[in-house]
Amino acid sequence: MSKLAVLHEAMSRLDAAWAGADESGALSREQLIAVSASLGELQRRLDAVHVEVAACISRESRPELGAESLAKQQGFRNPGDVDRGDGGCVVG
């Protein structure tokens, strides 16, 4: 199963648990427990995908690549800045 399929599956479980409510305050007690569990599962799966993508960004931004480094080509100093997703914007 692909990484995105796993995320879609977890999101579908969350959607099913949330069914019929417009906001969290309208969830039944049973739904609150199911939604909380579904959110935890979704977060764990999302974190796992994020770690994998961050590792790939790091590999493509290794110092020996110099100017060909993904981070440098995107205007960042290091892969950590790319991973934060701040778009390279400097505030201040």
Side-chain angles (χ1 to χ4, degrees):
M1 183 178 285
S2 77
K3 300 294 180 183
L4 288 182
V6 169
L7 290 175
H8 285 291
E9 180 183 293
M11 189 65 201
S12 292
R13 286 195 189 111
L14 175 59
D15 190 44
W18 198 289
D22 289 332
E23 55 187 44
S24 59
L27 296 170
S28 70
R29 291 175 136 198
E30 293 80 16
Q31 283 178 298
L32 285 169
I33 297 302
V35 164
S36 181
S38 296
L39 284 169
E41 177 187 0
L42 180 59
Q43 186 66 57
R44 286 187 298 278
R45 291 181 182 211
L46 184 60
D47 288 347
V49 172
H50 191 198
V51 165
E52 190 174 310
V53 169
C56 292
I57 289 171
S58 187
R59 184 184 67 241
E60 293 297 324
S61 299
R62 57 193 185 277
E64 59 266 23
L65 293 175
E68 295 301 309
S69 158
L70 176 62
K72 289 200 184 337
Q73 287 181 342
Q74 297 300 311
F76 297 97
R77 287 183 172 180
N78 60 60
D81 292 341
V82 176
D83 187 51
R84 277 198 298 273
D86 62 6
C89 298
V90 177
V91 178

